[in-house]
Protein backbone atom coordinates (compact mmCIF):
# COMPACT_ATOMS: atom_id res chain seq x y z
CA UNK A 1 0.00 0.00 0.00
CA UNK A 2 1.43 3.37 -1.06
CA UNK A 3 1.67 6.18 1.45
CA UNK A 4 0.38 9.54 0.18
CA UNK A 5 1.13 12.96 1.61
CA UNK A 6 -0.54 16.22 0.57
CA UNK A 7 1.28 19.54 1.04
CA UNK A 8 -1.05 22.54 1.02
CA UNK A 9 -0.08 26.09 0.10
CA UNK A 10 -2.16 29.25 -0.25
CA UNK A 11 -5.57 30.06 1.13
CA UNK A 12 -8.07 28.16 3.25
CA UNK A 13 -9.95 27.13 0.10
CA UNK A 14 -6.92 25.02 -0.76
CA UNK A 15 -7.13 23.43 2.67
CA UNK A 16 -10.62 22.25 1.80
CA UNK A 17 -9.46 20.91 -1.57
CA UNK A 18 -6.63 19.00 0.11
CA UNK A 19 -9.08 17.50 2.60
CA UNK A 20 -11.25 16.47 -0.32
CA UNK A 21 -8.36 14.75 -2.07
CA UNK A 22 -7.46 12.97 1.14
CA UNK A 23 -11.04 11.78 1.60
CA UNK A 24 -11.26 10.52 -1.97
CA UNK A 25 -8.07 8.43 -1.87
CA UNK A 26 -8.69 4.76 -2.64
CA UNK A 27 -8.30 3.12 0.78
CA UNK A 28 -7.43 -0.23 -0.78
CA UNK A 29 -4.39 1.25 -2.53
CA UNK A 30 -3.29 4.29 -0.57
CA UNK A 31 -2.79 5.33 3.03
CA UNK A 32 -2.46 9.00 3.97
CA UNK A 33 0.54 10.23 5.93
CA UNK A 34 1.46 13.66 7.24
CA UNK A 35 5.15 12.83 6.78
CA UNK A 36 6.57 13.73 3.38
CA UNK A 37 9.71 11.72 4.16
CA UNK A 38 7.62 8.55 4.55
CA UNK A 39 5.51 9.13 1.46
CA UNK A 40 5.86 7.35 -1.86
CA UNK A 41 3.38 9.83 -3.36
CA UNK A 42 3.33 13.57 -2.68
CA UNK A 43 0.68 15.96 -3.97
CA UNK A 44 1.59 19.66 -3.78
CA UNK A 45 -1.56 21.78 -3.75
CA UNK A 46 -0.20 25.04 -5.12
CA UNK A 47 -1.26 28.69 -5.13
CA UNK A 48 -0.85 30.93 -8.17
CA UNK A 49 -2.59 34.13 -7.12
CA UNK A 50 0.36 36.52 -6.85
CA UNK A 51 4.11 36.39 -7.51
CA UNK A 52 5.04 35.66 -3.89
CA UNK A 53 2.63 32.72 -3.78
CA UNK A 54 3.95 31.37 -7.08
CA UNK A 55 7.53 31.60 -5.83
CA UNK A 56 6.62 29.77 -2.63
CA UNK A 57 4.91 27.04 -4.65
CA UNK A 58 7.92 26.57 -6.95
CA UNK A 59 10.36 26.54 -4.03
CA UNK A 60 8.25 23.94 -2.24
CA UNK A 61 7.99 21.73 -5.32
CA UNK A 62 11.75 21.82 -5.89
CA UNK A 63 12.44 21.13 -2.23
CA UNK A 64 10.17 18.09 -2.25
CA UNK A 65 11.46 16.85 -5.60
CA UNK A 66 14.82 16.04 -3.99
CA UNK A 67 13.06 13.30 -2.03
CA UNK A 68 13.06 11.27 -5.23
CA UNK A 69 16.77 10.75 -4.73
CA UNK A 70 17.10 11.33 -0.99
CA UNK A 71 13.92 9.69 0.28
CA UNK A 72 11.12 7.28 -0.57
CA UNK A 73 9.31 9.51 -3.04
CA UNK A 74 8.26 7.80 -6.27
CA UNK A 75 5.51 10.08 -7.62
CA UNK A 76 5.18 13.86 -7.39
CA UNK A 77 1.86 15.39 -8.48
CA UNK A 78 1.11 19.11 -8.74
CA UNK A 79 -2.38 20.36 -7.94
CA UNK A 80 -4.10 23.70 -7.39
CA UNK A 81 -4.11 27.04 -9.15
CA UNK A 82 -0.47 27.22 -10.26
CA UNK A 83 -0.75 23.73 -11.73
CA UNK A 84 -3.94 24.70 -13.55
CA UNK A 85 -2.34 27.86 -14.87
CA UNK A 86 1.01 26.50 -16.10
CA UNK A 87 0.69 22.73 -16.60
CA UNK A 88 2.97 22.37 -19.63
CA UNK A 89 5.60 24.76 -18.32
CA UNK A 90 5.76 23.00 -14.95
CA UNK A 91 6.09 19.53 -16.45
CA UNK A 92 8.79 20.74 -18.83
CA UNK A 93 10.84 22.73 -16.33
CA UNK A 94 10.48 20.30 -13.40
CA UNK A 95 11.15 16.79 -14.76
CA UNK A 96 10.51 15.30 -11.31
CA UNK A 97 6.84 16.31 -11.64
CA UNK A 98 4.72 13.34 -12.73
CA UNK A 99 1.31 14.88 -13.39
CA UNK A 100 -1.10 17.78 -12.99
CA UNK A 101 -4.47 17.99 -11.21
CA UNK A 102 -6.36 21.25 -11.71
CA UNK A 103 -8.62 22.53 -8.92
CA UNK A 104 -11.68 21.39 -10.86
CA UNK A 105 -10.52 17.78 -10.97
CA UNK A 106 -10.19 16.77 -7.34
CA UNK A 107 -12.03 13.52 -8.02
CA UNK A 108 -9.30 12.50 -10.47
CA UNK A 109 -6.72 12.06 -7.70
CA UNK A 110 -6.73 8.24 -7.85
CA UNK A 111 -6.59 8.16 -11.64
CA UNK A 112 -3.80 10.72 -11.61
CA UNK A 113 -1.68 8.65 -9.23
CA UNK A 114 -2.27 5.52 -11.29
CA UNK A 115 -1.46 7.35 -14.53
CA UNK A 116 1.72 8.76 -13.05
CA UNK A 117 2.91 5.28 -12.09
CA UNK A 118 2.30 4.24 -15.69
CA UNK A 119 4.56 7.13 -16.80
CA UNK A 120 1.69 8.84 -18.60
CA UNK A 121 2.29 12.29 -17.06
CA UNK A 122 -1.50 12.79 -16.66
CA UNK A 123 -2.87 16.33 -16.96
CA UNK A 124 -6.37 17.16 -15.68
CA UNK A 125 -7.07 20.81 -16.47
CA UNK A 126 -9.54 20.84 -19.34
CA UNK A 127 -12.73 21.88 -17.57
CA UNK A 128 -14.20 22.80 -14.22
CA UNK A 129 -16.12 19.87 -12.77
CA UNK A 130 -19.14 20.59 -10.61
CA UNK A 131 -19.63 17.37 -8.67
CA UNK A 132 -16.37 17.40 -6.72
CA UNK A 133 -17.66 20.06 -4.36
CA UNK A 134 -20.31 17.76 -2.90
CA UNK A 135 -19.96 16.10 0.50
CA UNK A 136 -16.82 14.10 1.12
CA UNK A 137 -15.37 11.90 3.82
CA UNK A 138 -12.87 13.40 6.27
CA UNK A 139 -10.57 11.01 8.08
CA UNK A 140 -9.97 13.48 10.89
CA UNK A 141 -12.23 16.22 12.21
CA UNK A 142 -11.13 19.24 14.24
CA UNK A 143 -12.99 21.56 16.58
CA UNK A 144 -12.79 24.14 13.77
CA UNK A 145 -13.46 23.19 10.15
CA UNK A 146 -13.68 25.13 6.89
CA UNK A 147 -16.66 24.39 4.68
CA UNK A 148 -16.65 25.56 1.08
CA UNK A 149 -20.07 26.72 -0.09
CA UNK A 150 -19.20 27.54 -3.69
CA UNK A 151 -16.36 27.59 -6.17
CA UNK A 152 -15.34 30.08 -8.85
CA UNK A 153 -16.35 33.73 -9.15
CA UNK A 154 -18.70 35.82 -11.28
CA UNK A 155 -16.64 38.97 -10.81
CA UNK A 156 -13.97 39.89 -13.28
CA UNK A 157 -11.68 42.09 -11.24
CA UNK A 158 -9.00 43.26 -13.63
CA UNK A 159 -6.12 42.14 -11.40
CA UNK A 160 -7.40 38.64 -10.59
CA UNK A 161 -6.63 35.41 -12.42
CA UNK A 162 -8.92 33.20 -10.33
CA UNK A 163 -12.07 33.32 -12.54
CA UNK A 164 -9.94 32.29 -15.52
CA UNK A 165 -8.70 29.28 -13.57
CA UNK A 166 -11.86 28.26 -11.73
CA UNK A 167 -14.69 29.64 -13.87
CA UNK A 168 -17.90 31.32 -12.77
CA UNK A 169 -19.51 30.87 -9.37
CA UNK A 170 -20.76 27.31 -8.85
CA UNK A 171 -22.76 26.97 -5.63
CA UNK A 172 -23.11 23.75 -3.72
CA UNK A 173 -26.68 22.66 -3.07
CA UNK A 174 -27.75 23.80 0.36
CA UNK A 175 -28.71 20.28 1.37
CA UNK A 176 -25.16 19.06 0.70
CA UNK A 177 -23.65 21.84 2.82
CA UNK A 178 -26.03 21.22 5.70
CA UNK A 179 -25.42 17.47 5.52
CA UNK A 180 -21.65 18.02 5.63
CA UNK A 181 -21.88 20.37 8.60
CA UNK A 182 -24.21 18.00 10.47
CA UNK A 183 -21.69 15.20 9.97
CA UNK A 184 -18.83 17.41 11.13
CA UNK A 185 -20.70 18.48 14.24
CA UNK A 186 -21.63 14.89 15.04
CA UNK A 187 -17.89 14.11 15.04
CA UNK A 188 -16.89 17.01 17.29
CA UNK A 189 -16.68 20.18 15.21
CA UNK A 190 -18.01 23.25 17.01
CA UNK A 191 -16.84 26.11 14.79
CA UNK A 192 -17.58 26.16 11.07
CA UNK A 193 -15.97 28.71 8.78
CA UNK A 194 -17.90 29.29 5.57
CA UNK A 195 -15.65 30.08 2.62
CA UNK A 196 -15.90 30.65 -1.12
CA UNK A 197 -14.28 32.94 -3.61
CA UNK A 198 -17.23 35.22 -2.85
CA UNK A 199 -19.60 34.01 -0.13
CA UNK A 200 -22.22 36.71 -0.75
CA UNK A 201 -22.75 35.33 -4.27
CA UNK A 202 -23.79 31.98 -2.84
CA UNK A 203 -26.90 30.50 -4.44
CA UNK A 204 -27.46 32.91 -7.32
CA UNK A 205 -26.74 30.20 -9.90
CA UNK A 206 -28.86 27.51 -8.20
CA UNK A 207 -31.77 29.42 -6.77
CA UNK A 208 -31.90 32.63 -8.79
CA UNK A 209 -31.27 34.66 -5.63
CA UNK A 210 -28.47 35.32 -3.18
CA UNK A 211 -29.10 32.60 -0.64
CA UNK A 212 -26.44 32.99 2.07
CA UNK A 213 -29.16 34.19 4.44
CA UNK A 214 -31.19 31.02 3.81
CA UNK A 215 -28.14 28.88 4.52
CA UNK A 216 -27.44 30.68 7.79
CA UNK A 217 -31.05 30.25 8.87
CA UNK A 218 -30.83 26.52 8.22
CA UNK A 219 -27.71 26.26 10.39
CA UNK A 220 -29.67 27.51 13.40
CA UNK A 221 -31.18 24.05 13.75
CA UNK A 222 -27.86 22.21 14.20
CA UNK A 223 -27.91 22.08 17.98
CA UNK A 224 -24.27 21.33 18.81
CA UNK A 225 -22.90 23.81 16.28
CA UNK A 226 -21.61 26.72 18.35
CA UNK A 227 -19.85 29.23 16.07
CA UNK A 228 -20.35 30.10 12.40
CA UNK A 229 -17.79 32.44 10.88
CA UNK A 230 -18.05 33.98 7.40
CA UNK A 231 -15.03 34.82 5.21
CA UNK A 232 -14.67 36.47 1.79
CA UNK A 233 -18.00 38.32 1.78
CA UNK A 234 -17.80 40.79 -1.08
CA UNK A 235 -19.51 44.11 -0.33
CA UNK A 236 -21.59 44.45 -3.50
CA UNK A 237 -24.29 41.92 -2.54
CA UNK A 238 -24.16 42.44 1.22
CA UNK A 239 -27.74 43.46 1.94
CA UNK A 240 -29.75 44.34 5.05
CA UNK A 241 -31.27 40.85 5.23
CA UNK A 242 -27.79 39.38 5.69
CA UNK A 243 -26.96 41.94 8.38
CA UNK A 244 -30.23 41.13 10.18
CA UNK A 245 -29.51 37.40 10.10
CA UNK A 246 -25.99 37.92 11.40
CA UNK A 247 -27.41 39.98 14.26
CA UNK A 248 -30.27 37.66 15.15
CA UNK A 249 -28.70 34.25 14.59
CA UNK A 250 -27.04 33.15 17.86
CA UNK A 251 -24.61 30.86 16.04
CA UNK A 252 -23.23 33.48 13.63
CA UNK A 253 -20.30 35.36 15.11
CA UNK A 254 -20.23 39.17 14.93
CA UNK A 255 -17.26 38.90 12.60
CA UNK A 256 -17.01 39.38 8.86
CA UNK A 257 -14.25 39.38 6.29
CA UNK A 258 -15.00 41.92 3.52
CA UNK A 259 -12.40 42.28 0.75
CA UNK A 260 -12.52 46.07 0.21
CA UNK A 261 -9.31 46.35 -1.87
CA UNK A 262 -9.29 50.14 -2.17
CA UNK A 263 -11.01 53.36 -1.20
CA UNK A 264 -10.44 55.51 -4.27
CA UNK A 265 -13.33 55.38 -6.72
CA UNK A 266 -10.88 55.89 -9.60
CA UNK A 267 -8.94 52.79 -8.63
CA UNK A 268 -12.05 50.76 -7.78
CA UNK A 269 -13.38 51.45 -11.29
CA UNK A 270 -10.05 50.48 -12.85
CA UNK A 271 -10.15 47.27 -10.79
CA UNK A 272 -13.69 46.61 -12.09
CA UNK A 273 -14.97 46.38 -8.55
CA UNK A 274 -18.75 46.56 -8.31
CA UNK A 275 -18.86 49.12 -5.52
CA UNK A 276 -17.57 52.55 -4.48
CA UNK A 277 -16.21 54.22 -1.38
CA UNK A 278 -19.54 55.64 -0.23
CA UNK A 279 -21.25 52.26 -0.46
CA UNK A 280 -18.44 50.61 1.49
CA UNK A 281 -18.59 53.25 4.20
CA UNK A 282 -22.37 52.90 4.44
CA UNK A 283 -22.09 49.11 4.72
CA UNK A 284 -19.57 49.33 7.54
CA UNK A 285 -21.71 51.95 9.30
CA UNK A 286 -24.77 49.68 9.07
CA UNK A 287 -22.84 46.69 10.36
CA UNK A 288 -21.49 48.58 13.36
CA UNK A 289 -24.87 50.15 14.08
CA UNK A 290 -26.86 46.92 13.86
CA UNK A 291 -24.39 44.47 15.42
CA UNK A 292 -22.75 45.46 18.72
CA UNK A 293 -18.96 45.01 18.90
CA UNK A 294 -18.85 43.95 15.25
CA UNK A 295 -15.38 42.83 14.12
CA UNK A 296 -14.50 43.64 10.52
CA UNK A 297 -11.53 42.22 8.65
CA UNK A 298 -10.45 43.31 5.18
CA UNK A 299 -7.67 43.36 2.62
CA UNK A 300 -6.37 46.20 0.49
CA UNK A 301 -4.47 46.00 -2.80
CA UNK A 302 -2.02 48.88 -3.17
CA UNK A 303 0.08 50.06 -6.06
CA UNK A 304 -2.50 49.19 -8.71
CA UNK A 305 -1.63 50.60 -12.16
CA UNK A 306 -2.41 54.30 -12.28
CA UNK A 307 -2.76 54.64 -8.50
CA UNK A 308 -1.73 58.22 -7.74
CA UNK A 309 -0.51 59.71 -4.48
CA UNK A 310 -3.99 61.17 -4.05
CA UNK A 311 -5.57 57.74 -4.59
CA UNK A 312 -3.34 56.24 -1.93
CA UNK A 313 -4.11 59.10 0.43
CA UNK A 314 -7.80 58.23 0.08
CA UNK A 315 -7.00 54.78 1.45
CA UNK A 316 -5.14 56.31 4.38
CA UNK A 317 -8.02 58.70 5.04
CA UNK A 318 -10.47 55.81 4.83
CA UNK A 319 -8.81 53.67 7.50
CA UNK A 320 -8.50 56.71 9.75
CA UNK A 321 -12.15 57.71 9.42
CA UNK A 322 -13.63 54.21 8.99
CA UNK A 323 -11.50 52.02 11.28
CA UNK A 324 -11.14 48.35 10.40
CA UNK A 325 -10.46 45.88 13.22
CA UNK A 326 -8.11 43.71 11.21
CA UNK A 327 -6.69 44.56 7.79
CA UNK A 328 -3.88 43.40 5.58
CA UNK A 329 -2.34 45.12 2.57
CA UNK A 330 -0.71 43.56 -0.46
CA UNK A 331 1.33 45.12 -3.21
CA UNK A 332 -0.24 44.73 -6.65
CA UNK A 333 1.31 41.86 -8.57
CA UNK A 334 1.29 41.99 -12.37
CA UNK A 335 -0.38 38.75 -13.43
CA UNK A 336 -0.19 37.73 -17.07
CA UNK A 337 -3.56 37.01 -18.60
CA UNK A 338 -5.34 39.70 -16.60
CA UNK A 339 -6.45 43.07 -18.04
CA UNK A 340 -4.46 44.99 -15.42
CA UNK A 341 -1.21 43.46 -16.61
CA UNK A 342 -1.53 45.42 -19.86
CA UNK A 343 -2.52 48.71 -18.25
CA UNK A 344 -0.30 51.75 -18.52
CA UNK A 345 1.23 53.55 -15.55
CA UNK A 346 2.48 50.46 -13.73
CA UNK A 347 3.78 51.46 -10.29
CA UNK A 348 7.41 50.90 -9.32
CA UNK A 349 8.00 48.12 -6.78
CA UNK A 350 9.72 50.56 -4.42
CA UNK A 351 6.65 52.82 -4.33
CA UNK A 352 4.32 49.86 -3.85
CA UNK A 353 6.41 48.64 -0.96
CA UNK A 354 6.43 52.07 0.71
CA UNK A 355 2.66 52.34 0.42
CA UNK A 356 2.09 48.91 1.95
CA UNK A 357 4.48 49.78 4.79
CA UNK A 358 2.78 53.11 5.46
CA UNK A 359 -0.65 51.51 5.36
CA UNK A 360 0.28 48.76 7.82
CA UNK A 361 1.80 51.27 10.24
CA UNK A 362 -1.40 53.30 10.23
CA UNK A 363 -3.56 50.19 10.45
CA UNK A 364 -1.64 48.99 13.50
CA UNK A 365 -2.48 52.21 15.34
CA UNK A 366 -6.12 51.89 14.32
CA UNK A 367 -6.25 48.28 15.46
CA UNK A 368 -4.61 49.13 18.77
CA UNK A 369 -7.32 51.70 19.50
CA UNK A 370 -10.08 49.25 18.64
CA UNK A 371 -8.56 46.40 20.62
CA UNK A 372 -8.17 48.52 23.76
CA UNK A 373 -11.95 48.92 23.83
CA UNK A 374 -12.26 45.23 24.69
CA UNK A 375 -10.45 45.65 28.02
CA UNK A 376 -12.97 45.00 30.78
CA UNK A 377 -15.24 42.92 28.55
CA UNK A 378 -15.95 39.24 29.10
CA UNK A 379 -15.40 37.24 25.92
CA UNK A 380 -16.08 33.65 25.07
CA UNK A 381 -12.81 31.99 24.04
CA UNK A 382 -12.10 28.70 22.32
CA UNK A 383 -8.99 27.19 23.93
CA UNK A 384 -6.60 25.91 21.26
CA UNK A 385 -3.39 25.02 23.10
CA UNK A 386 -1.28 25.43 26.20
CA UNK A 387 0.91 28.51 26.23
CA UNK A 388 3.82 29.85 28.24
CA UNK A 389 2.44 29.82 31.77
CA UNK A 390 -1.17 29.71 30.62
CA UNK A 391 -3.34 28.92 27.66
CA UNK A 392 -3.91 30.23 24.15
CA UNK A 393 -7.27 30.59 22.47
CA UNK A 394 -9.36 32.55 20.01
CA UNK A 395 -12.37 34.80 20.53
CA UNK A 396 -14.95 35.82 17.95
CA UNK A 397 -12.42 38.45 16.85
CA UNK A 398 -9.96 35.83 15.66
CA UNK A 399 -10.14 33.68 12.56
CA UNK A 400 -7.50 30.94 12.78
CA UNK A 401 -4.06 31.67 11.35
CA UNK A 402 -4.91 35.14 10.01
CA UNK A 403 -5.95 37.08 13.11
CA UNK A 404 -4.73 37.30 16.69
CA UNK A 405 -4.98 35.19 19.81
CA UNK A 406 -6.19 35.46 23.40
CA UNK A 407 -3.77 34.44 26.16
CA UNK A 408 -5.63 33.07 29.15
CA UNK A 409 -4.40 32.84 32.73
CA UNK A 410 -6.17 30.12 34.71
CA UNK A 411 -5.54 28.15 37.88
CA UNK A 412 -8.02 25.61 36.59
CA UNK A 413 -6.71 23.12 34.03
CA UNK A 414 -8.13 23.89 30.60
CA UNK A 415 -8.21 21.59 27.59
CA UNK A 416 -7.97 22.41 23.85
CA UNK A 417 -11.46 22.47 22.38
CA UNK A 418 -13.14 23.91 25.47
CA UNK A 419 -15.08 27.16 25.39
CA UNK A 420 -14.52 29.41 28.38
CA UNK A 421 -15.37 32.93 29.47
CA UNK A 422 -12.41 35.26 29.90
CA UNK A 423 -12.24 38.72 31.45
CA UNK A 424 -10.03 40.80 29.14
CA UNK A 425 -7.33 42.67 31.05
CA UNK A 426 -4.81 43.63 28.36
CA UNK A 427 -4.65 44.36 24.64
CA UNK A 428 -2.14 44.93 21.86
CA UNK A 429 -2.63 45.70 18.18
CA UNK A 430 -3.55 42.11 17.39
CA UNK A 431 -3.85 40.09 20.60
CA UNK A 432 -5.77 40.11 23.85
CA UNK A 433 -5.03 38.71 27.29
CA UNK A 434 -7.26 37.90 30.21
CA UNK A 435 -8.26 35.78 33.18
CA UNK A 436 -10.40 32.65 33.12
CA UNK A 437 -13.82 33.10 34.73
CA UNK A 438 -15.79 29.93 34.01
CA UNK A 439 -16.60 27.40 31.33
CA UNK A 440 -19.15 28.22 28.67
CA UNK A 441 -22.11 25.95 28.17
Amino acid sequence: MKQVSIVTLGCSKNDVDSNQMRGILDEEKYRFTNSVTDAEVIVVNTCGFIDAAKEESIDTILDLARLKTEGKLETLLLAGCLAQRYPDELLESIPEADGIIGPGHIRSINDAIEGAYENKKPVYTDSIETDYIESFKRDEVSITEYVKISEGCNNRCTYCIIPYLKGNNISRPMEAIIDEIQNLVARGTREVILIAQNTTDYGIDLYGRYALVDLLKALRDIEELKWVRILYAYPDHFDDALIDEMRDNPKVLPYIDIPIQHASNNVLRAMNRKTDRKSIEQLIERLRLQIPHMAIRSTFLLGFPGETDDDFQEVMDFIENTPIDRAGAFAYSKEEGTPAADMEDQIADEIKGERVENFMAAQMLSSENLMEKHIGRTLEVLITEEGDGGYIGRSYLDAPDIDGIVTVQSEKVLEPGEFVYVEITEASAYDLGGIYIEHSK
Side-chain angles (χ1 to χ4, degrees), residues 35-40 42 60-76 96:
S35 171
V36 294
T37 56
D38 291 335
E40 287 93 9
I42 295 178
T60 301
I61 293 167
L62 295 176
D63 185 55
L64 293 171
R66 64 180 174 79
L67 294 176
K68 280 199 167 183
T69 56
E70 300 176 11
K72 299 180 180 179
L73 182 61
E74 298 169 350
T75 295
L76 180 62
E96 295 89 349

Side-chain angles (χ1 to χ4, degrees), residues 361-377:
Q363 172 58 29
M364 179 177 289
L365 292 175
S366 177
S367 183
E368 282 179 350
N369 292 332
L370 290 171
M371 293 289 278
E372 286 178 358
K373 295 181 180 180
H374 297 291
I375 294 177
R377 293 186 65 200

Side-chain angles (χ1 to χ4, degrees), residues 77 91 98-101 111-113 115-116 119-124:
L77 294 173
L91 290 178
D98 298 300
I100 300 290
I101 308 170
D111 291 337
I113 296 174
N119 296 315
K120 293 180 179 179
K121 294 270 185 176
V123 175
Y124 295 91

Side-chain angles (χ1 to χ4, degrees), residues 260-264 267-268 271 280 300-302 307 311 315:
I260 293 173
Q261 307 299 15
H262 218 278
S264 163
V267 176
L268 288 169
M271 289 178 168
I280 294 169
F300 290 78
L301 184 61
L302 304 177
E307 180 189 77
D311 292 326
V315 176

Side-chain angles (χ1 to χ4, degrees), residues 66-175:
R66 64 180 174 79
L67 294 176
K68 280 199 167 183
T69 56
E70 300 176 11
K72 299 180 180 179
L73 182 61
E74 298 169 350
T75 295
L76 180 62
L77 294 173
L78 311 183
C81 289
L82 188 72
Q84 172 77 26
R85 191 173 181 185
Y86 302 110
D88 296 334
E89 294 89 338
L90 288 169
L91 290 178
E92 182 178 351
S93 60
I94 306 177
E96 295 89 349
D98 298 300
I100 300 290
I101 308 170
H105 294 272
I106 301 299
R107 288 197 182 277
S108 300
I109 177 67
N110 294 302
D111 291 337
I113 296 174
E114 183 176 341
Y117 271 104
E118 295 173 356
N119 296 315
K120 293 180 179 179
K121 294 270 185 176
V123 175
Y124 295 91
T125 59
D126 289 344
S127 63
I128 301 293
E129 296 180 355
T130 58
D131 63 339
Y132 83 95
I133 52 178
E134 298 300 335
S135 296
F136 62 98
K137 175 176 65 67
R138 304 194 194 203
D139 293 336
E140 298 178 359
V141 168
S142 302
I143 195 78
T144 296
E145 289 286 349
Y146 292 92
V147 173
K148 189 184 291 188
I149 63 174
S150 66
E151 184 63 279
C153 186
N154 290 339
N155 294 347
R156 291 296 184 270
C157 300
T158 55
Y159 54 82
C160 184
I161 196 66
I162 297 301
Y164 303 99
L165 300 179
K166 296 190 173 184
N168 288 331
N169 177 80
I170 303 172
S171 301
R172 293 177 62 189
M174 198 173 303
E175 297 79 8

Side-chain angles (χ1 to χ4, degrees), residues 228 246 252-256 291-296 377 396-397:
V228 176
M246 291 183 65
V252 178
L253 295 174
Y255 173 105
I256 195 71
I291 305 175
H293 302 294
M294 183 72 195
I296 299 174
R377 293 186 65 200
Y396 79 91
L397 297 161

